[in-house]
Amino acid sequence: VKGNNYQLVSKFGKIDINNSNKIFMTDVIATIYLVNSSPIIIVSKHANYNKSNHETNFFKDVKLTYEEHKTFSQNLDLSFKNNIALMYNNIIYNKPGTELFADRLEIDLLTKNSKIFMDNNSEKIKIINKN
């Protein structure tokens, strides 16, 4: 929509016998091309893709790259209906000079605004300044 594009590639794909819209993928690379923006690249060991709505659940060794920002986790859910990418389970965020550890990261795909937080309100996000 509006010139944006989503490309999803894997080494192996298996269609769900009970629902032909669902595909289980292995060794996955996804690229989100947004108008007037650098691409967002997602790499993971596995993903479940729903071809009817393009919802994608990435899992195991997930890496999201956007410009100089790199984020690692075990899970990432991509919802184009809500224009949201939600990363969770052992998040490590890196940008030049900073490393951050948290439980969840929510990214608005249109504005690139993000929210990072802990599941337990009594725990704090850990930020390491490397400068």
Side-chain angles (χ1 to χ4, degrees), residues 3-99:
N4 299 322
N5 247 320
Y6 179 52
Q7 179 181 23
L8 187 62
V9 178
S10 70
K11 286 188 179 176
F12 177 80
K14 182 179 178 184
I15 296 173
D16 184 332
I17 196 163
N18 297 316
N19 182 345
S20 63
N21 284 325
K22 294 186 179 181
I23 303 171
F24 174 77
M25 306 173 96
T26 303
D27 296 326
V28 182
I29 300 173
T31 307
I32 303 169
Y33 298 97
L34 300 172
V35 174
N36 299 322
S37 179
S38 299
I40 299 169
I41 300 167
I42 303 166
V43 177
S44 70
K45 289 283 186 191
H46 304 289
N48 290 321
Y49 173 68
N50 185 324
K51 65 182 186 176
S52 67
N53 59 15
H54 308 295
E55 304 291 299
T56 312
N57 308 105
F58 300 89
F59 54 100
K60 194 168 183 192
D61 301 332
V62 179
K63 177 182 176 184
L64 181 143
T65 304
Y66 175 70
E67 295 180 347
E68 75 276 1
H69 306 273
K70 292 179 178 29
T71 309
F72 305 87
S73 71
Q74 290 304 308
N75 299 85
L76 184 150
D77 296 339
L78 194 55
S79 171
F80 289 105
K81 177 182 175 188
N82 299 314
N83 295 310
I84 295 287
L86 177 63
M87 293 187 82
Y88 52 99
N89 287 334
N90 302 318
I91 291 182
I92 301 170
Y93 166 80
N94 289 294
K95 74 172 189 173
T98 304
E99 187 171 47

